[in-house]
Amino acid sequence: MVKYDTVLIRYGELSTKGKNRKDFITRLFHNVKYALRDYPDLTYQKTHDRIYIKLTDEDADEISEKLKRVFGISSFSFTEKVESNIEEIKKTCLRIASESNKKTFKMMTKRHDKSFPMISDEINRSCAGEILHNTDLTVDVHNPELLIRVEVHEKYSYITSDKIKGAGGYPAGINGKVLLLLSGGIDSPVAAYELMKRGLFVEAIHFASPPYTSEAARNKVLKLAEMMSEYQGSMRVHVINFTDIQLNIYKTAGDPYAVTIMRRMMYRLAERVAQASHCLAIGTGESVGQVASQTLESIAVINETITMPVLRPLVCFDKVEIIDLARQIGTYETSILPFEDCCTIFDPKNPVTHPTSEKSVHYETMFDYETLLNEAIEKQEVISVYPRKEEEEFL
Ligand code: ATP
Ligand code: MG
């Protein structure tokens, strides 16, 4: 394992955000420091196109795992920072090659400082010569096992042999706040990930129907929220008691329309909570055609109850793609734990797939839902969750 003294972070979609460059960098800088808060000895420096982190004796793999979760980073590398003179550069390239356990290599130099007395090609040749002379490695320009990159800047140069892909997107929180309907299922945590990647700060709302839904089901949702909070530092979860509303729906609307009305009520509640929490949009894990309540007709009839924009990042994703992503972000195993959801408990046998507004409104006038909605909002519980510390997992 090659040892390096600096992490070099490259920014993500910065070019498209010209005028907001400063905000982007400031937020990313803050988010990177937050992600690495457990390492107090790191020192940070930000420039117009990079963040540099000086390492002391930290575990590179651990730092790498944390950085892969920070949105706004396009890539990062572990590098050795040396003074910009050719002897230092050569010496470091040789060390990296010797410590690498690789058989073939290639040099790649980029000269940011054009006043450096050698051009890139000369630097490549000089460093390659040093390695060829002192090790058994040979050059392979097409398919090298080890690619040594040298970046020459005015005062310092950075030498690295890896480039790790970052999460991309925008730094979490830079584009405002959205209220996500968070169930205990597979889809909504993935929706949270996609929204956060767009720089949105995600707050969550969950509908629980105790005693039909258990404490375990609720804890599972909080656990998912906690996992997703890792990407933005914390997450507020509004837990709404949905039991009375659901019981009334089943008494009045009966089987086929129950799901449609239930989801209309969820939207209404979400919009009100979103407004009170200064969220400008609602988010869901809906995907067209996945289940009865997600046909285009259903989405239209459900959506008409509110005016706030609804962001559905998974709308065109296949279930397989969603599952892949859930595995990548680590929520899949928790999502498939077999706890009942408020929807599954009251799941009707024949949900309508082509609901109409007229019928929905007809069923809704059969009970005083306004009072029930207000009560549910008044009694909501707001819980803040934070990323779990590694050692807590073992308690
Ligand atoms: P998920 O896997 O996210 O539960 P799903 O495929 O099971 O999605 P539905 O149960 O129809 O689909 O839910 C669609 C969306 O509605 C969810 O992605 C979520 O955003 C929201 N939702 C469903 N049930 C709840 C709930 N109990 N609390 C909050 N939001 C919910
Ligand atoms: Mg669900």
Side-chain angles (χ1 to χ4, degrees):
M1 179 73 188
V2 184
K3 201 156 167 47
Y4 294 102
D5 67 357
T6 304
V7 188
L8 178 161
I9 294 175
R10 301 174 191 87
Y11 303 154
E13 301 178 27
L14 199 51
S15 53
T16 54
K17 299 277 287 179
K19 72 179 166 48
N20 294 329
R21 189 181 185 102
K22 197 162 166 270
D23 288 352
F24 184 114
I25 297 171
T26 308
R27 181 66 72 123
L28 180 60
F29 192 58
H30 173 270
N31 291 359
V32 165
K33 280 174 138 177
Y34 185 82
L36 300 178
R37 65 194 176 285
D38 292 340
Y39 305 91
D41 297 334
L42 299 173
T43 43
Y44 300 83
Q45 187 202 347
K46 66 173 187 289
T47 69
H48 68 289
D49 63 347
R50 298 285 161 79
I51 290 173
Y52 298 101
I53 307 172
K54 181 113 183 61
L55 302 166
T56 49
D57 210 13
E58 294 79 8
D59 183 311
D61 288 338
E62 281 181 21
I63 301 265
S64 180
E65 284 313 305
K66 304 261 181 205
L67 289 177
K68 279 183 196 163
R69 289 170 173 253
V70 180
F71 292 121
I73 295 180
S74 76
S75 67
F76 60 96
S77 299
F78 286 85
T79 80
E80 193 69 15
K81 179 178 174 182
V82 300
E83 279 184 18
S84 287
N85 80 59
I86 189 66
E87 288 312 315
E88 285 294 318
I89 294 172
K90 269 165 51 180
K91 200 169 82 187
T92 305
C93 289
L94 174 60
R95 180 176 70 77
I96 290 172
S98 314
E99 289 176 11
S100 72
N101 278 332
K102 298 281 164 58
K103 294 197 173 60
T104 59
F105 78 102
K106 176 184 174 179
M107 292 297 311
M108 215 163 107
T109 298
K110 205 166 166 190
R111 221 170 34 126
H112 291 259
D113 172 28
K114 301 292 179 202
S115 70
F116 192 81
M118 297 163 82
I119 62 167
S120 301
D121 199 41
E122 288 168 329
I123 300 170
N124 284 339
R125 283 170 195 278
S126 176
C127 293
E130 184 79 4
I131 295 170
L132 289 170
H133 205 81
N134 293 291
T135 71
D136 292 334
L137 275 85
T138 55
V139 172
D140 181 346
V141 287
H142 300 297
N143 206 4
E145 284 179 32
L146 177 71
L147 180 64
I148 302 179
R149 295 170 199 267
V150 179
E151 274 192 21
V152 181
H153 294 258
E154 197 181 330
K155 206 155 178 237
Y156 296 106
S157 295
Y158 296 88
I159 302 166
T160 180
S161 59
D162 58 5
K163 190 167 185 175
I164 303 161
K165 200 166 176 297
Y170 297 110
I174 203 172
N175 287 331
K177 211 158 63 153
V178 59
L179 182 71
L180 173 74
L181 279 74
L182 184 66
S183 67
I186 297 168
D187 302 344
S188 36
V190 176
Y193 177 86
E194 293 294 325
L195 293 167
M196 289 171 177
K197 187 171 180 178
R198 282 351 297 155
L200 296 164
F201 194 87
V202 173
E203 202 161 311
I205 182 169
H206 175 68
F207 303 97
S209 296
Y212 303 98
T213 58
S214 64
E215 189 72 16
R218 173 195 150 105
N219 288 340
K220 168 178 157 181
V221 172
L222 293 176
K223 168 86 188 158
L224 289 167
E226 190 183 280
M227 288 172 145
M228 296 317 296
S229 74
E230 180 67 43
Y231 293 90
Q232 59 179 23
S234 65
M235 191 187 283
R236 289 212 316 158
V237 186
H238 302 257
V239 180
I240 304 273
N241 185 319
F242 205 49
T243 315
D244 279 351
I245 297 169
Q246 261 190 316
L247 291 174
N248 271 279
I249 293 171
Y250 280 87
K251 248 190 318 196
T252 53
D255 195 299
Y257 263 76
V259 170
T260 308
I261 311 290
M262 187 179 82
R263 299 194 60 79
R264 284 165 63 100
M265 296 301 165
M266 283 184 177
Y267 267 48
R268 288 183 173 108
L269 285 164
E271 184 178 58
R272 292 174 200 192
V273 171
Q275 276 159 353
S277 307
H278 310 289
C279 297
L280 292 180
I282 286 166
T284 80
E286 288 162 317
S287 160
V288 169
Q290 203 182 80
V291 289
S293 64
Q294 296 175 25
T295 61
L296 202 50
E297 286 95 334
S298 286
I299 290 179
V301 166
I302 292 161
N303 207 148
E304 72 185 9
T305 52
I306 63 170
T307 55
M308 197 175 256
V310 181
L311 307 180
R312 300 180 179 87
L314 310 185
V315 75
C316 296
F317 282 37
D318 294 341
K319 195 75 190 185
V320 180
E321 292 172 316
I322 298 172
I323 289 174
D324 275 354
L325 263 169
R327 284 189 203 278
Q328 269 177 44
I329 63 176
T331 51
Y332 182 74
E333 298 300 330
T334 304
S335 286
I336 58 170
L337 291 174
F339 298 127
E340 63 298 317
D341 178 57
C342 70
C343 306
T344 44
I345 286 204
F346 292 98
D347 215 9
K349 306 289 160 291
N350 302 301
V352 58
T353 47
H354 305 282
T356 66
S357 323
E358 293 72 23
K359 280 203 177 147
S360 305
V361 171
H362 167 74
Y363 289 123
E364 284 172 357
T365 49
M366 292 164 74
F367 70 106
D368 179 13
Y369 69 81
E370 270 303 330
T371 304
L372 293 176
L373 295 184
N374 289 334
E375 266 176 30
I377 290 197
E378 239 165 65
K379 289 194 200 140
Q380 70 175 292
E381 244 186 290
V382 185
I383 301 160
S384 291
V385 298
Y386 301 91
R388 181 170 289 227
K389 284 206 177 137
E390 235 91 301
E391 62 268 29
E392 286 174 19
E393 301 278 1
F394 303 103
L395 293 179

